Amino acid sequence: MTNRLKLLVGGVQLRDGVGTVVDVVGRILTRAGLYVLANERNYASTIYGAHQFDPLVISATPPLSHGDNLVDILMALEFDANPDVPRQPNRDTILRHGPHLRDGGVLLYDSSTGEVPVDDLVARGVKVFPLPARQIALRELRREVVKNMVVTGALFRLLEFDMDQAYLRQLLEERFLRKGRELVDLNLEAARRGREVIEQVLAAQGWRDVGYRLEPVPTNGERRLLVSGSEALGMGAIQAGCRFYAGYPITPASPLLAFMERWLPRYQGRSLQGQNERESIRAALGASLAGVRAMVASSGPGISLKVEEFGLAGAGEIPLVVVNAQRAGPSTGMPTKTEQADLRMMIGAGHGDFPRIVLAPSTLEECYTMIQEAFYLADKYQCPVFVLTDLTLAEVRKTVPEAFFLEHRMPPHREGVLTEAELRRDGYRRYAITESGISPRIFPGTRGGIFKVSGTEHDEFGFVTTEPPKRAAMMDKRMRKLETYLQEDARGPQVVGTPRGNPVLVGWGSTKPVLLEARERLRADGLDVAVVHLTHLWPFPTHLVRPVLADAAAIIVCEQNWSGQLADLLQERCLLPTRRILKYNGRVFYVSDIIRGVREILRNGATEFRVSEFVPVTVEAHEGD
């Protein structure tokens, strides 16, 4: 098979270089014109010693999704003895993922402490390549750290790719040449030794090849980038004019903090790591009051701590963009595992009623475009705008043409900001009662305007009041923003296929690519289904969603939480019955999960299908967290 495969790299976290191998391989293949999708990164919340794995889909054309949990090539980088299995090397990766290795696939493992018995895999036609990677790095090259290059060189030989090391040499020179030619040559030598071992195994076994190979694909000058979801959010925010970011380290929002700390100063912006979550959001509110586009990001536990300030943004009518990169909860839950269980929180967090907007991008590309939209909406409606991602979406790495980022740039337009001339002509009331619910805005220091802001109930000028008529009028004014939003800016669901008369898969967030691929496979089996995906979740656009779903044969909502939060919202707002496919074990949806669920629901009449794909291993292996 050429230019299409799924590779899984596994090993001990922060020791075996799983992330480095995937990063090097991903960047080189992207430069070679291939598309890379790494959408299932798995690691533990412990700092060191737990199992880590990172699957990578490689294709000559953009892959629709990460597909199933089956892999074509398994790379096990552990080398030391496993205390659960005396006198055997660590084979955690093999035990965990061997059952998912495709029949006839390839196993490459570090045999530095001995060869592993894999008769069961050999019986399934798997080609096995023991590679003493650590031994080569430590004993021959005297630098254990180049073990990663031994492995990378071996992989490229298996795939008959970069045989002259041109791509690898270019990447190494970019990274290490400033530290000396010797370091580049050392890494190239490590890669060469890895290739050499593979050659020996191929010759000994009499194999001509392993059945998989990669070839460079001409890009006709098109430049492509390997980008993460967090990087796409950061790029979009800076493009939207965000010049202040405040955050506090938390998984999986920390990469966005790191991105903004690195890049925002280059655009005359500031990034702040607060002492805690509340300090961060208060700093962002202050920056926004001063007229700077500002953003904060966190995950579930951190979002919970910011709730009081959400109300302040609503009552004080302060624009603010808040990113919630969801992870498995409740409480600290599973910090490094994915989930979609904060939808209800984001549409209701805070005491009292106040306007808010909730968006949920479904792809890396939408992370870039919708964060720009979020800044526009926050400014226009002067309220908090929540952008719901999840761990999968935040950490996905994907090949994207650079032109995409250049073509989807929303000018940082700001509505409703009065000029000094308008102030002199009309006077100024910060919280003026308007038909749209949106009051004209100025920034502190604007000549001719008195800037007064309050989170306590106030009149049109900002003076505190509890008079019932003024209170009622101000509440009505603020909440009218939602009506204006639904009329002017709300978007209906994305629709693929024909919902009328057919079963419909409904989703939100990072599940969209999987639903689209499930649709393709179901259609190939003769079952016509449609996909309806929601990105604008609150205020709920009932007038746009209900007509799409009203005549569906069955509404099957697929989401990664226990209760079916979007399904409940659909029933509540559209008065339509829903069925559910739910997964909440911390892993992503696979296409096979959706297909099994659809068949269970349509053939057997089930109202819900809860996914469990656990495959027992022969030794107990804990993740450590």
Side-chain angles (χ1 to χ4, degrees):
M1 185 181 293
T2 303
N3 283 353
R4 175 79 189 180
L5 62 91
K6 187 170 184 177
L7 163 75
L8 188 147
V9 185
V12 175
Q13 184 163 306
L14 292 181
R15 190 198 68 177
D16 290 334
V18 172
T20 302
V21 172
V22 169
D23 180 67
V24 168
V25 171
R27 291 185 186 282
I28 287 178
L29 296 182
T30 295
R31 292 180 180 194
L34 294 161
Y35 286 88
V36 173
L37 174 65
N39 205 36
E40 306 171 62
R41 185 179 179 221
N42 273 267
Y43 57 101
S45 56
T46 48
I47 301 301
Y48 179 86
H51 177 62
Q52 176 185 6
F53 66 96
D54 207 343
L56 203 64
V57 177
I58 303 158
S59 175
T61 56
L64 200 52
S65 80
H66 54 265
D68 291 322
N69 57 359
L70 284 177
V71 298
D72 301 295
I73 298 178
L74 179 62
M75 297 173 63
L77 306 189
E78 303 100 333
F79 53 82
D80 56 359
N82 187 336
D84 295 320
V85 186
R87 296 184 298 281
Q88 283 193 7
N90 188 337
R91 49 181 184 146
D92 202 2
T93 296
I94 298 173
L95 291 170
R96 287 172 180 268
H97 306 287
H100 303 302
L101 183 56
R102 195 182 298 278
D103 292 351
V106 176
L107 169 65
L108 174 69
Y109 72 92
D110 194 330
S111 59
S112 295
T113 49
E115 296 197 0
V116 171
V118 286
D119 295 343
D120 54 334
L121 296 178
V122 173
R124 290 167 42 203
V126 172
K127 294 183 173 66
V128 180
F129 291 83
L131 171 71
R134 180 173 178 267
Q135 197 174 81
I136 292 172
L138 198 58
R139 297 183 182 176
E140 298 182 21
L141 304 173
R142 304 297 179 186
R143 291 288 296 275
E144 185 178 1
V145 70
V146 298
K147 170 192 167 187
N148 300 333
M149 283 302 109
V150 179
V151 173
T152 302
L155 174 67
F156 283 170
R157 174 58 191 90
L158 286 172
L159 299 172
E160 302 178 54
F161 175 81
D162 197 26
M163 300 296 275
D164 60 359
Q165 295 192 324
Y167 285 104
L168 183 60
R169 179 178 290 103
Q170 183 185 17
L171 185 74
L172 292 171
E173 288 179 347
E174 289 174 6
R175 290 191 173 187
F176 300 131
L177 198 54
R178 67 182 185 279
K179 298 180 179 179
R181 169 61 64 182
E182 297 78 11
L183 189 55
V184 174
D185 292 341
L186 177 66
N187 279 275
L188 288 172
E189 173 63 13
R192 188 194 65 78
R193 284 289 292 123
R195 304 170 77 95
E196 199 170 77
V197 173
I198 298 303
E199 295 280 6
Q200 293 167 359
V201 177
L202 286 167
Q205 296 291 339
W207 294 329
R208 293 184 57 189
D209 55 49
V210 296
Y212 300 96
R213 66 195 306 265
L214 296 178
E215 293 178 350
V217 176
T219 61
N220 299 321
E222 181 185 69
R223 188 162 182 243
R224 296 174 185 170
L225 309 174
L226 187 66
V227 183
S228 75
S230 292
E231 290 169 342
L233 281 170
M235 292 162 65
I238 292 174
Q239 171 57 36
C242 174
R243 292 297 180 266
F244 184 80
Y245 176 88
Y248 183 72
I250 186 171
T251 303
S254 292
L256 181 55
L257 171 62
F259 181 90
M260 298 302 266
E261 283 181 338
R262 179 181 179 188
W263 291 101
L264 209 45
R266 302 190 187 192
Y267 295 87
Q268 292 75 53
R270 285 288 304 275
S271 177
L272 169 73
Q273 179 177 320
Q275 296 185 68
N276 53 55
E277 295 281 1
R278 294 194 69 187
E279 181 184 89
S280 299
I281 190 170
R282 288 177 179 184
L285 286 170
S288 182
L289 272 175
V292 177
R293 279 191 162 174
M295 177 171 77
V296 296
S298 189
S299 191
I303 292 292
S304 298
L305 296 172
K306 297 178 187 290
V307 169
E308 186 173 333
E309 281 73 22
F310 296 166
L312 175 60
E317 304 191 41
I318 306 168
L320 186 66
V321 173
V322 180
V323 175
N324 180 357
Q326 300 167 93
R327 68 189 204 186
S331 186
T332 43
M334 298 193 292
T336 59
K337 306 303 173 192
T338 196
E339 199 163 84
Q340 298 177 297
D342 292 350
L343 174 56
R344 282 289 188 181
M345 177 169 78
M346 299 322 298
I347 66 176
H351 59 280
D353 291 320
F354 60 89
R356 73 187 73 196
I357 296 169
V358 181
L359 310 177
S362 60
T363 61
L364 183 148
E365 289 86 346
E366 285 184 355
C367 284
Y368 178 72
T369 56
M370 291 186 70
I371 197 75
Q372 297 180 61
E373 183 183 0
F375 277 99
Y376 168 77
L377 295 174
D379 257 358
K380 178 176 179 179
Y381 294 99
Q382 300 171 36
C383 69
V385 175
F386 300 110
V387 178
L388 261 176
T389 66
D390 54 37
L391 185 139
T392 301
L393 202 48
E395 299 192 340
V396 60
R397 286 143 293 149
K398 181 178 179 182
T399 302
V400 183
E402 185 183 45
F404 170 83
F405 298 104
L406 301 175
E407 292 168 359
H408 294 82
R409 294 186 291 185
M410 179 185 288
H413 173 64
R414 313 186 82 162
E415 287 196 4
V417 180
L418 294 182
T419 64
E420 291 184 7
E422 290 169 325
L423 273 177
R424 284 194 294 272
R425 186 184 65 224
D426 303 328
Y428 185 61
R429 290 165 293 161
R430 170 67 189 95
Y431 300 110
I433 302 293
T434 62
E435 188 175 343
S436 66
I438 303 169
S439 303
R441 185 182 178 209
I442 63 170
F443 300 131
T446 305
R447 284 189 298 179
I450 298 176
F451 187 93
K452 187 171 178 57
V453 63
S454 176
T456 305
E457 192 57 278
H458 44 260
D459 63 12
E460 290 183 271
F461 295 94
F463 291 104
V464 172
T465 182
T466 58
E467 291 184 35
K470 291 183 177 178
R471 154 69 174 181
M474 194 54 64
M475 277 294 295
D476 290 343
K477 182 202 86 78
R478 285 196 294 264
M479 301 308 287
R480 272 202 300 276
K481 294 178 184 179
L482 299 183
E483 299 168 18
T484 305
Y485 165 82
L486 287 171
Q487 292 170 6
E488 297 183 4
D489 289 298
R491 287 199 224 162
Q494 301 168 359
V495 180
V496 179
T498 307
R500 180 187 290 271
N502 291 316
V504 180
L505 302 176
V506 181
W508 64 284
S510 63
T511 61
K512 176 182 168 184
V514 171
L515 300 188
L516 292 177
E517 187 163 342
R519 174 179 181 269
E520 293 297 316
R521 292 196 199 176
L522 288 166
R523 281 167 55 84
D525 288 342
L527 178 61
D528 197 5
V529 300
V531 170
V532 170
H533 209 80
L534 281 75
T535 55
H536 290 56
L537 297 170
W538 195 263
F540 195 82
T542 305
H543 63 299
L544 299 174
V545 176
R546 195 176 194 290
V548 174
L549 295 175
D551 297 319
I555 301 171
I556 304 172
V557 185
C558 311
E559 50 188 323
Q560 292 187 275
N561 56 62
W562 184 87
S563 57
Q565 296 187 11
L566 177 62
D568 287 343
L569 199 58
L570 273 173
Q571 290 190 170
E572 175 188 316
R573 294 285 158 172
C574 296
L575 303 178
L576 295 170
T578 63
R579 304 180 196 183
R580 302 155 193 230
I581 299 176
L582 305 172
K583 188 171 184 177
Y584 41 87
N585 63 0
R587 297 282 178 84
V588 295
F589 265 129
Y590 295 115
V591 175
S592 54
D593 295 333
I594 303 299
I595 291 174
R596 282 191 296 139
V598 168
R599 287 175 176 158
E600 185 69 19
I601 287 171
L602 297 184
R603 290 179 182 173
N604 300 327
T607 56
E608 69 175 28
F609 178 77
R610 293 178 183 267
V611 178
S612 173
E613 92 294 337
F614 178 72
V615 176
V617 297
T618 52
V619 297
E620 187 176 0
H622 295 288
E623 194 170 57
D625 58 346

